[in-house]
């Protein structure tokens, strides 16, 4: 007689393997947190933050200890969903109109639909807020998200005006429609994800649980903050602080709030994992956990250099945990270099799904490592960059191959000596620049950096920007928000700034409503430009809402440019609602 040991899944004891062997199509849960750095876990050496659920998970998982992502949010998510460098997908920024992924991209959700997976996203998307780039357009059956890069940000206009309560009782977007929710955002996303799991029966599911925490604004329930109110976050730096990180009083307070948000996430994951056990699907489910980049604020980051936005390892190295012992066996560490680009190819390989042949997939399958069939992958280069709007040659760029990293913070015509070169195996903190002793290796990696950079900035979806499609049956009305607006660099909540949206319109009559941050002056005029077609409407009274009715808009692809002109000012709307009327 065979006995089964029933232990709660959140403790990560294993169920006995079924006599029928590995499930052909396992459930897949991909969990990602936002701005949670490498040092924000108990299992990575932080003695102050409490992450018991994730600490238990790592004890029963395969841990990649040399795993890399992009320096900021949207690029990481684009690569995660497609297996491609973000620039190939059209993602070049976190706002300024550069966080709209081309609708032609094949996402992980779309790939899994080929195996009849039920797919759901809960939390942060950050790859476009309008058709054809929303999650529901890119393979997700169930979608509960906030807009833009974060709740409380200008692009997420349904939470922006809540100020210091933007993470509480929010209006979110459920399958493209605004809905009011009660509670704290991380709790809401986790609860809805658990309901999604509960609603699945015989159909395998793909759950993308993409927490927006601990991203700013650092709002957290008081009960969690109380756990950290009296700690000194700089204490954890005393053991390892090669770069002499100094924490201001604000940094310390930010860290307390971050740690509180992290512990809240950990508690929510405990509930989610317990649901798998309750439903009896724990050992038929693969759980993947990671974060999207380094920490935004100054705090412990495992003695690495840099943080969010930086191409040093502190900005791009994060944990990766893979829990699926039925296929991959017991816990162990893998030190081989891996990246966010590899997640889609790995899942495709596991399920024997063919990758698309009409585009370049930059990632590689990690299955040989996960199944311990191979100790190392073939040597390859990983390219990193971050700058606003478009990549700037040799500004905040890096390339990594084998044990070496070449980092660029230099002018376009830089000499080899202007680059930094590190052996990160010997110098984990990237403190010892060994360029002068290794000019031959530097020259070779620089040549690769040049080649990859040139290829990526000429990508089809960079040369031909993704548009917002207006007037279709898939989305009406369409909301044009500040996150998706191009124009001046650094466009955010400013009033007097040049902005625009790149759109494709269907020929029809439209009503347009223009929302301004505050009331615009009286006796002005609203001007709407679509290429050579220009409309003007006078405004006699001061107001923060202006409506243009029955506007005949032609079939058009290009820049939609609205502004209000009065008293010598040109004021850009905060958002625009465009509704097709016929």
């Amino acid at each position: 007689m065979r006995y089964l040991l029933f232990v709660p899944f959140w403790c990560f004891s294993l169920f006995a393997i079924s006599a029928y062997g590995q499930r052909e199509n396992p459930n897949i849960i991909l969990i990602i947190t936002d701005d949670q750095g490498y040092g924000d876990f108990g299992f990575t050496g932080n003695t102050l933050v409490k992450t018991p659920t994730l600490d238990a998970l790592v004890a029963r998982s395969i841990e990649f200890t040399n795993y890399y992502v992009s320096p900021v949010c949207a690029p990481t998510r684009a690569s995660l969903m497609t297996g491609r460098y973000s620039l190939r997908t059209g993602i070049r920024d976190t706002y300024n109109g550069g966080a709209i992924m081309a609708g032609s991209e094949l996402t992980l959700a779309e790939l899994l639909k080929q195996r009849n997976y039920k797919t759901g996203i809960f939390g942060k998307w950050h790859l476009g807020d309008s058709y054809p780039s929303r999650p529901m357009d890119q393979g997700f059956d169930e979608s509960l998200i906030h807009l833009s890069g974060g709740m409380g940000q200008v692009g997420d206009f349904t939470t922006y005006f809540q100020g210091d309560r933007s993470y509480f009782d929010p209006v979110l977007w459920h399958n493209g429609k605004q809905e009011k929710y009660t509670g704290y955002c991380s709790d809401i996303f986790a609860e809805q994800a658990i309901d999604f799991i509960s609603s699945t029966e015989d159909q395998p599911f793909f759950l993308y649980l993409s927490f927006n925490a601990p991203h700013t604004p650092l709002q957290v329930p008081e009960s969690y903050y109380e756990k950290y109110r009296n700690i000194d976050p700089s204490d954890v730096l005393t053991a390892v602080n090669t770069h002499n990180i100094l924490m201001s009083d604000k940094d310390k307070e930010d860290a307390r709030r971050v740690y509180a948000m992290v512990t809240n996430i950990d508690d929510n994951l405990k509930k989610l994992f317990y649901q798998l056990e309750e439903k009896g699907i724990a050992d038929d489910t693969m759980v993947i956990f990671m974060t999207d980049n380094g920490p935004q604020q100054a705090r412990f980051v495992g003695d690495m250099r840099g943080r969010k936005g930086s191409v040093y390892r502190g900005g791009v190295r994060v944990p990766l945990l893979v829990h699926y012992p039925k296929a991959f066996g017991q816990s162990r560490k893998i030190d081989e270099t891996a990246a966010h680009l590899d997640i889609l190819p790995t899942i495709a390989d596991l399920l024997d799904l063919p990758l698309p042949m009409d585009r370049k997939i930059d990632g590689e399958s990690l299955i040989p490592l996960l199944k311990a069939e191979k100790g190392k992958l073939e040597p390859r280069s990983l390219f990193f960059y971050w700058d606003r709007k478009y990549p700037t040659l040799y500004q905040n760029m890096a390339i990594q191959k084998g044990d070496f990293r070449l980092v660029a913070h230099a002018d376009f015509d830089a000499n080899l000596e202007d680059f930094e070169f590190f052996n990160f195996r010997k110098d984990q903190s990237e403190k010892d620049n060994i360029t002068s002793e290794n000019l031959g290796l530097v020259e070779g990696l620089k040549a690769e950096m040049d080649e990859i950079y040139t290829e990526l900035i000429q990508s089809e979806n960079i040369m031909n920007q993704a548009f917002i499609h207006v007037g279709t049956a898939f989305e009406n009305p369409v909301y044009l928000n500040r996150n998706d607006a191009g124009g001046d660099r650094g466009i955010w909540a400013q009033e007097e700034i040049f902005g625009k949206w790149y759109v494709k319109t269907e020929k029809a009559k439209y009503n347009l409503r223009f929302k301004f941050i505050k009331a615009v002056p009286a006796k002005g005029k609203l001007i709407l430009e679509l290429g050579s077609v220009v409309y003007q409407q006078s405004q006699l009274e001061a107001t923060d809402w202006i409506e243009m009715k029955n506007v005949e808009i032609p079939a058009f692809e290009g820049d939609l440019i609205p502004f209000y002109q009065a008293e010598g000012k040109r004021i850009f709307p905060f958002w625009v609602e465009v509704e097709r009327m016929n």
Side-chain angles (χ1 to χ4, degrees):
M1 177 178 291
R2 195 159 55 101
Y3 293 90
L4 297 179
L5 176 63
F6 289 93
V7 181
F9 179 71
W10 54 266
C11 288
F12 299 100
S13 292
L14 304 181
F15 291 85
I17 295 177
S18 164
Y20 297 101
Q22 180 182 332
R23 177 173 173 165
E24 183 179 357
N25 295 318
N27 305 308
I28 299 170
I29 299 178
L30 175 56
I31 304 164
I32 184 171
T33 60
D34 197 3
D35 288 1
Q36 186 174 3
Y38 185 86
D40 295 333
F41 302 88
F43 68 83
T44 58
N46 190 325
T47 56
L48 296 177
V49 68
K50 306 304 180 187
T51 54
T53 305
L54 287 167
D55 294 348
L57 177 61
V58 75
R60 295 291 186 180
S61 300
I62 295 177
E63 178 186 5
F64 283 81
T65 59
N66 206 29
Y67 179 70
Y68 295 88
V69 292
S70 299
V72 288
C73 316
T76 288
R77 285 163 171 75
S79 294
L80 188 61
M81 284 292 105
T82 66
R84 286 154 55 83
Y85 280 116
S86 60
L87 290 169
R88 296 195 200 279
T89 75
I91 297 292
R92 53 177 174 76
D93 203 343
T94 60
Y95 63 101
N96 260 142
I100 304 175
M101 188 168 72
S104 59
E105 288 298 312
L106 178 74
T107 68
L108 181 54
E110 290 173 306
L111 186 73
L112 291 172
K113 294 299 291 181
Q114 298 176 23
R115 284 288 176 84
N116 196 36
Y117 273 73
K118 182 178 180 181
T119 56
I121 175 176
F122 301 89
K124 178 169 176 170
W125 174 241
H126 203 186
L127 298 176
D129 292 332
S130 300
Y131 178 79
S133 299
R134 302 167 299 172
M136 55 195 293
D137 309 318
Q138 295 280 8
F140 286 96
D141 302 315
E142 186 73 10
S143 168
L144 178 65
I145 63 169
H146 61 78
L147 300 182
S148 75
M151 298 172 68
Q153 291 188 0
V154 294
D156 190 24
F157 56 85
T158 52
T159 65
Y160 176 75
F161 292 105
Q162 290 180 247
D164 61 3
R165 292 284 300 174
S166 59
Y167 277 24
F168 296 88
D169 304 328
V171 173
L172 300 171
W173 296 75
H174 180 213
N175 295 334
K177 304 296 181 183
Q178 298 180 45
E179 290 187 17
K180 177 73 172 177
Y181 290 81
T182 301
Y184 180 61
C185 59
S186 295
D187 298 341
I188 294 167
F189 294 133
E191 288 164 3
Q192 296 299 312
I194 290 169
D195 288 347
F196 172 79
I197 293 172
S198 300
S199 70
T200 60
E201 295 302 333
D202 297 329
Q203 186 179 8
F205 65 81
F206 168 52
L207 167 60
Y208 181 33
L209 179 52
S210 179
F211 289 103
N212 60 300
H215 192 291
T216 54
L218 302 179
Q219 300 172 14
V220 67
E222 192 67 18
S223 61
Y224 280 92
Y225 177 72
E226 285 299 324
K227 299 175 187 290
Y228 295 96
R229 179 185 293 276
N230 297 317
I231 70 163
D232 183 348
S234 65
D235 285 348
V236 75
L237 292 172
T238 57
V240 191
N241 194 12
T242 301
H243 295 289
N244 298 315
I245 296 173
L246 299 176
M247 296 184 72
S248 66
D249 288 343
K250 183 181 184 304
D251 290 331
K252 293 178 182 179
E253 179 61 13
D254 285 349
R256 293 183 190 103
R257 293 189 169 276
V258 165
Y259 294 166
M261 297 166 87
V262 165
T263 297
N264 170 267
I265 289 172
D266 196 78
D267 284 351
N268 276 303
L269 293 181
K270 176 179 176 178
K271 296 173 186 176
L272 184 139
F273 295 150
Y274 189 79
Q275 175 64 17
L276 297 179
E277 184 259 334
E278 284 287 289
K279 194 173 171 65
I281 57 174
D283 59 343
D284 285 325
T285 301
M286 179 166 70
V287 176
I288 302 170
F289 176 87
M290 58 178 286
T291 80
D292 68 342
N293 46 246
Q296 183 173 353
Q297 305 84 10
R299 60 180 182 271
F300 175 70
V301 68
D303 201 35
M304 291 184 292
R305 183 176 181 179
R307 56 184 195 254
K308 178 179 179 178
S310 169
V311 297
Y312 293 116
R313 295 176 79 232
V316 296
R317 181 189 175 212
V318 301
L320 173 66
L321 308 180
V322 180
H323 179 83
Y324 189 31
K326 182 178 278 192
F328 307 136
Q330 292 288 342
S331 63
R332 54 195 163 90
K333 295 180 185 293
I334 294 177
D335 193 43
E336 178 73 3
T337 296
H340 51 359
L341 300 164
D342 301 329
I343 299 300
L344 181 143
T346 298
I347 292 174
D349 191 8
L350 177 68
L351 302 181
D352 197 26
L353 283 166
L355 294 173
M357 302 296 293
D358 62 343
R359 66 200 67 195
K360 184 169 183 177
I361 301 297
D362 296 293
E364 297 184 15
S365 172
L366 302 176
I367 293 297
L369 299 178
L370 288 165
K371 291 188 173 182
E373 296 170 351
K374 182 182 289 188
K376 290 189 176 182
L377 300 176
E378 293 300 316
R380 57 171 171 163
S381 297
L382 291 178
F383 174 75
F384 306 89
Y385 92 92
W386 176 240
D387 200 0
R388 284 293 175 203
K389 205 161 186 177
Y390 289 94
T392 303
L393 184 60
Y394 303 145
Q395 281 298 309
N396 201 31
M397 286 186 177
I399 190 167
Q400 178 172 316
K401 190 173 187 179
D403 296 345
F404 300 107
R405 304 191 86 238
L406 182 70
V407 178
H409 291 97
D411 293 338
F412 77 96
D413 58 351
N415 298 313
L416 293 180
E417 291 81 0
D418 296 325
F419 293 78
E420 293 177 287
F421 186 67
F422 305 101
N423 183 331
F424 71 89
R425 299 288 185 183
K426 297 180 179 179
D427 178 21
Q428 291 279 330
S429 60
E430 293 175 291
K431 193 174 183 180
D432 184 15
N433 178 14
I434 54 173
T435 294
S436 58
E437 305 98 295
N438 296 276
L439 290 178
L441 291 173
V442 170
E443 184 176 23
L445 279 179
K446 178 181 177 295
E448 285 195 57
M449 178 184 287
D450 292 343
E451 182 179 356
I452 295 172
Y453 165 80
T454 301
E455 178 184 344
L456 291 179
I457 62 169
Q458 294 176 354
S459 298
E460 178 182 357
N461 291 324
I462 291 296
M463 304 298 288
N464 300 288
Q465 181 181 342
F467 54 74
I468 296 170
H469 204 158
V470 175
T472 73
F474 300 104
E475 184 182 21
N476 191 41
V478 171
Y479 295 90
L480 307 177
N481 68 49
R482 278 287 180 108
N483 203 82
D484 290 345
D488 286 348
R489 285 178 182 261
I491 188 170
W492 197 245
Q494 307 94 327
E495 291 187 281
E496 294 183 68
I497 193 167
F498 172 69
K500 60 183 182 177
W501 287 278
Y502 191 71
V503 301
K504 180 178 182 179
T505 61
E506 299 297 315
K507 181 180 180 180
K509 283 188 177 182
Y510 294 86
N511 285 352
L512 295 93
R513 301 180 73 215
F514 302 84
K515 167 66 176 165
F516 295 85
I517 296 171
K518 61 185 181 183
V520 294
K523 298 182 180 179
K525 54 187 179 182
L526 180 67
I527 297 172
L528 175 65
E529 298 180 359
L530 296 103
S532 60
V533 178
V534 183
Y535 300 97
Q536 177 179 313
Q537 177 175 297
S538 299
Q539 178 64 36
L540 299 179
E541 299 177 350
T543 180
D544 62 341
W545 281 102
I546 298 178
E547 188 169 11
M548 297 179 95
K549 294 184 176 180
N550 296 316
V551 181
E552 289 272 7
I553 294 181
F556 169 75
E557 184 175 339
D559 291 332
L560 182 152
I561 305 173
F563 59 92
Y564 185 78
Q565 189 167 305
E567 300 178 355
K569 300 177 179 179
R570 289 166 56 102
I571 302 172
F572 184 55
F574 195 47
W575 81 80
V576 182
E577 177 185 332
V578 187
E579 184 176 12
R580 180 172 179 167
M581 305 308 296
N582 64 343

